[in-house]
Amino acid sequence: MKRPRVLLADDHQLLREAFARLLESGCDVVGTVADGRALLEAVPQLRPDIVVVDIAMPLLNGLDAARQLKRIMPEVKVIFLTVSEDCDLAAEAFRAGASAYLLKNSAASELFRAIQEVFEGRSYVTPLATKGLVDSFRHESESPRSKGTSSPRQREVLQLLAEGHTMKEIARKLKITARTVAFHKYSMMKELGIKSSAELVRFAIKQHVVF
C-alpha cells in the first residue's frame, strides 16, 4: 500500500521533530519547514501528498500559505494541526482549503486517522471542534463577512508589518521595492479607514493575519 508523503510546517523545532518521529511508522515524512514562505518554496520541490501545517507561523501564516498553495498545487491536501480552539478560526481554515483540522492536544492516533482520511479523499474535523465549527458556519451565513484585505500581497505585507519588520526589510523578504511596500501599506490604511500603524496591527490580529 502506498504510504502518504507528508511535509510538516511548524515554527517550533521540537514539535517538528516530535511529529516527524511520530509519523515515520506510517508515512514518508519528506521534509519539515518553519514558516509559511518556506512551505511554499518546499512543496513544488518535495511533492508531498499532504501538508500538516500550524496556523500561527512567522513571515506567512498557515492560513495564507494554504490559500496560495491551493492555487498553485490544488492536489496537495492540507491538514491544520494547531493549538487554537477558536471555531471561527477553524471555519477560516476550511475556507482556505483545508481537508482536516485538529488540535495539538489530540491523541496521536487522531492525527494518523486524519492523515488516512485525507489521503483517501475525505475530510476530517476533530470532535473537539465539530459543534463550534458548524455554529460558526451557520452564524456566517446569517451575517455579512467583516471587511478584510483581499490581495495576497497585501496580507503578506500586513503580516510582516504587524511582526515589526521595517518597510526595507519587507521589501527584501518579498523581493519588491520599499516604495511598493509603502503603497500596499497606505492603500490598506485608506481602504480600511485606519489612521495609525497601531490600528493596522490590531486589524491584523482581528483578521487572523498574526496571532
Side-chain angles (χ1 to χ4, degrees):
M1 179 182 294
K2 183 178 184 293
R3 287 158 56 101
R5 292 170 55 82
V6 177
L7 175 64
L8 299 170
D10 194 296
D11 60 325
H12 293 95
Q13 182 178 351
L14 291 178
L15 286 177
R16 291 198 308 274
E17 293 173 351
F19 285 126
R21 288 195 298 270
L22 172 68
L23 295 177
E24 282 175 352
S25 63
C27 307
D28 293 333
V29 179
V30 297
T32 65
V33 295
D35 63 75
R37 299 198 67 79
L39 172 63
L40 293 178
E41 293 173 1
V43 169
Q45 300 173 20
L46 300 175
R47 312 293 296 186
D49 300 305
I50 297 169
V51 171
V52 178
V53 59
D54 192 8
I55 290 179
M57 292 193 297
L59 302 184
L60 185 65
N61 66 67
L63 292 173
D64 287 326
R67 290 187 183 97
Q68 294 190 37
L69 172 59
K70 295 299 284 186
R71 279 196 293 270
I72 60 175
M73 297 184 69
E75 70 279 8
V76 177
K77 306 300 184 183
V78 178
I79 294 175
F80 280 100
L81 180 63
T82 183
V83 297
S84 177
E85 298 183 21
D86 184 339
C87 295
D88 290 336
L89 198 57
E92 190 65 31
F94 279 95
R95 284 192 291 268
S99 293
Y101 188 97
L102 60 158
L103 303 178
K104 286 183 177 177
N105 61 0
S106 302
S109 59
E110 190 176 4
L111 177 56
F112 276 110
R113 180 183 173 188
I115 288 174
Q116 195 59 43
E117 291 287 317
V118 168
F119 191 51
E120 294 176 1
R122 295 183 291 272
S123 298
Y124 182 85
V125 183
T126 178
L128 298 174
T130 303
K131 181 182 182 301
L133 182 61
V134 172
D135 291 342
S136 179
F137 276 122
R138 182 181 297 121
H139 175 73
E140 181 186 81
S141 68
E142 296 170 352
S143 60
R145 293 284 303 276
S146 59
K147 180 166 60 174
T149 54
S150 57
S151 160
R153 181 62 86 193
Q154 282 185 335
R155 291 180 67 88
E156 288 178 326
V157 169
L158 178 58
Q159 176 169 349
L160 292 167
L161 286 169
E163 289 176 353
H165 297 281
T166 67
M167 284 194 271
K168 286 184 178 180
E169 290 171 342
I170 295 170
R172 285 197 298 271
K173 290 179 184 297
L174 299 182
K175 297 181 173 61
I176 57 179
T177 66
R179 181 175 295 181
T180 300
V181 174
F183 170 79
H184 285 306
K185 175 183 178 180
Y186 294 114
S187 292
M188 284 187 286
M189 292 177 70
K190 181 178 179 181
E191 176 187 350
L192 299 167
I194 287 174
K195 305 297 184 185
S196 69
S197 295
E199 284 184 66
L200 197 60
V201 171
R202 287 194 291 271
F203 173 79
I205 294 170
K206 183 179 180 181
Q207 290 294 314
H208 299 143
V209 176
V210 292
F211 301 85

